[in-house]
Amino acid sequence: VAVFAASSLFNTTVLLKRNFVDKGALEPIGEQLAARMIQICNAELTALGLIPLTATFMARGVLYNDDIPWPIEAAVPALVFVGLAFKYIK
């Protein structure tokens, strides 16, 4: 979920930046930026399919390991979100 949120943040910020620019000074989106945004959208659609599958496995206890402390498990999604947000917004 953290990856999904961070990746959609990039597309949202690009579109918001373009929305607040003067319409006369608006340049077309470049090919590289368009390809990157399409790639991110495809990754989001893949995540939408994988999240329910992952949730099903988690509910059934597949690959559950009781030896890992819960603060470490809770920190992983937060670090992924912050890392990807930093990568895509910079």
Side-chain angles (χ1 to χ4, degrees):
V1 176
V3 173
F4 186 77
S7 64
S8 71
L9 189 63
F10 174 76
N11 285 350
T12 302
T13 55
V14 168
L15 293 175
L16 285 176
K17 286 178 188 176
R18 292 181 58 80
N19 191 32
F20 292 116
V21 172
D22 183 29
K23 301 301 180 202
L26 192 62
E27 296 178 8
I29 293 179
E31 289 294 322
Q32 289 181 332
L33 180 60
R36 183 175 181 188
M37 291 177 72
I38 290 171
Q39 184 179 18
I40 290 172
C41 287
N42 287 337
E44 289 175 352
L45 291 173
T46 303
L48 281 176
L50 289 178
I51 289 171
L53 179 67
T54 305
T56 302
F57 287 153
M58 288 174 62
R60 297 186 187 285
V62 176
L63 297 176
Y64 179 72
N65 188 353
D66 201 22
D67 297 333
I68 301 173
W70 74 265
I72 294 175
E73 292 176 350
V76 170
L79 291 174
V80 169
F81 177 78
V82 170
L84 290 175
F86 177 75
K87 176 184 175 183
Y88 288 123
I89 298 300
K90 69 174 180 170

